[in-house]
Amino acid sequence: MPSFGKSLIILGLIIAAIGAIFTLAGKIPWLGRLPGDIYVKKENFTFYFPLATSIIISLLLSLILWFFRK
């Protein structure tokens, strides 16, 4: 049962970190505007896919989770 408690604490920290990122996302000017983010704007159509931003966030989360496993 102690591993279940540890898992809940880690999950809570991850949720808190995601909440902080969403709260501060508007104050970080480069987030969502990196080279590699795909942005297509036409007359009646706009397509945005934050590819580079997604990769960076994925790498950061993977690194954080890797530290928690150690």
Side-chain angles (χ1 to χ4, degrees):
M1 210 51 145
S3 64
F4 182 67
K6 184 178 178 183
S7 298
L8 284 177
I9 291 172
I10 291 172
L11 182 64
L13 290 173
I14 291 170
I15 291 172
I18 291 171
I21 289 170
F22 280 129
T23 302
L24 299 173
K27 297 179 182 177
I28 302 173
W30 54 267
L31 188 63
R33 293 184 182 96
L34 294 172
D37 290 346
I38 300 169
Y39 180 74
V40 177
K41 186 174 182 179
K42 301 238 177 171
E43 293 175 12
N44 295 327
F45 177 75
T46 302
F47 176 75
Y48 178 70
F49 184 71
L51 183 63
T53 302
S54 299
I55 291 172
I56 288 177
I57 290 172
S58 174
L59 288 173
L60 288 174
L61 287 175
S62 296
L63 184 65
I64 290 169
L65 291 174
W66 181 75
F67 279 126
F68 277 116
R69 288 185 192 164
K70 290 286 177 172

